[in-house]
Amino acid sequence: MTSENQELKKAGLKVTLPRVKILQILEGAGDRHMSADDVYRTLLDQGEDVGLATVYRVLTQFETAGLVQRHHFEAGTAVFELAKGDHHDHMICLESGNVIEFVDPIIEKRQHEIAEEHGFEIEDHSLILYVRPKKK
């Protein structure tokens, strides 16, 4: 049984060709965050006969099952990445659109301190920095 099949079964999803193909595409994306349209175009380039509605449905199922995380970085465009189980934050370059993942223990510690100072504890959070290259 392939690792994709095992991941789908472990998430409680039936193994179907579209699900396997979409999971393979996301696994092959590395650190790249893909929109549903990106996934759909990749399927078309591979000669797969999967509709855009199916891609959206499968990505939503993956999100519900905890296989992927959905992010809204740009106006109205949702992008997806495999849920790796590790927390990281993001920087988005306003010129190139590149997404840079980073982890900073000082930022993480300070966020928890701020929440505690206000009588809360953090359940989850998302930090997105919108950046532009420095002018030389």
Side-chain angles (χ1 to χ4, degrees):
M1 183 179 296
T2 67
S3 64
E4 289 87 7
N5 290 2
Q6 290 172 343
E7 285 182 63
L8 290 171
K9 285 184 182 261
K10 192 167 99 175
L13 295 170
K14 184 178 173 189
V15 176
T16 65
L17 188 59
R19 287 181 181 145
V20 170
K21 293 291 184 185
I22 291 170
L23 190 55
Q24 287 173 342
I25 289 168
L26 293 171
E27 287 174 341
D31 287 339
R32 183 170 167 237
H33 298 67
M34 299 185 78
S35 69
D37 287 337
D38 293 334
V39 172
Y40 177 65
R41 280 193 298 276
T42 303
L43 286 165
L44 290 179
D45 290 346
Q46 293 176 353
E48 299 296 334
D49 185 25
V50 176
L52 183 57
T54 300
V55 172
Y56 276 102
R57 185 173 57 255
V58 168
L59 288 171
T60 299
Q61 291 167 347
F62 284 2
E63 181 183 19
T64 302
L67 290 174
V68 300
Q69 290 181 307
R70 178 189 309 247
H71 301 285
H72 295 277
F73 295 140
E74 301 170 30
T77 302
V79 292
F80 299 84
E81 68 175 324
L82 286 178
K84 302 169 195 157
D86 63 337
H87 172 76
H88 57 269
D89 296 306
H90 298 91
M91 285 190 294
I92 312 302
C93 178
L94 295 171
E95 291 185 10
S96 68
N98 289 339
V99 178
I100 301 102
E101 296 180 353
F102 71 95
V103 175
D104 186 306
I106 295 170
I107 291 173
E108 296 303 315
K109 180 178 183 237
R110 188 64 187 125
Q111 290 174 119
H112 286 280
E113 291 171 352
I114 291 168
E116 191 167 311
E117 288 168 12
H118 291 274
F120 296 97
E121 63 182 58
I122 296 176
E123 290 291 321
D124 192 15
H125 80 278
S126 174
L127 175 64
I128 304 169
L129 304 175
Y130 293 91
V131 299
R132 188 177 309 282
K134 282 185 166 182
K135 299 205 188 308
K136 295 180 182 182

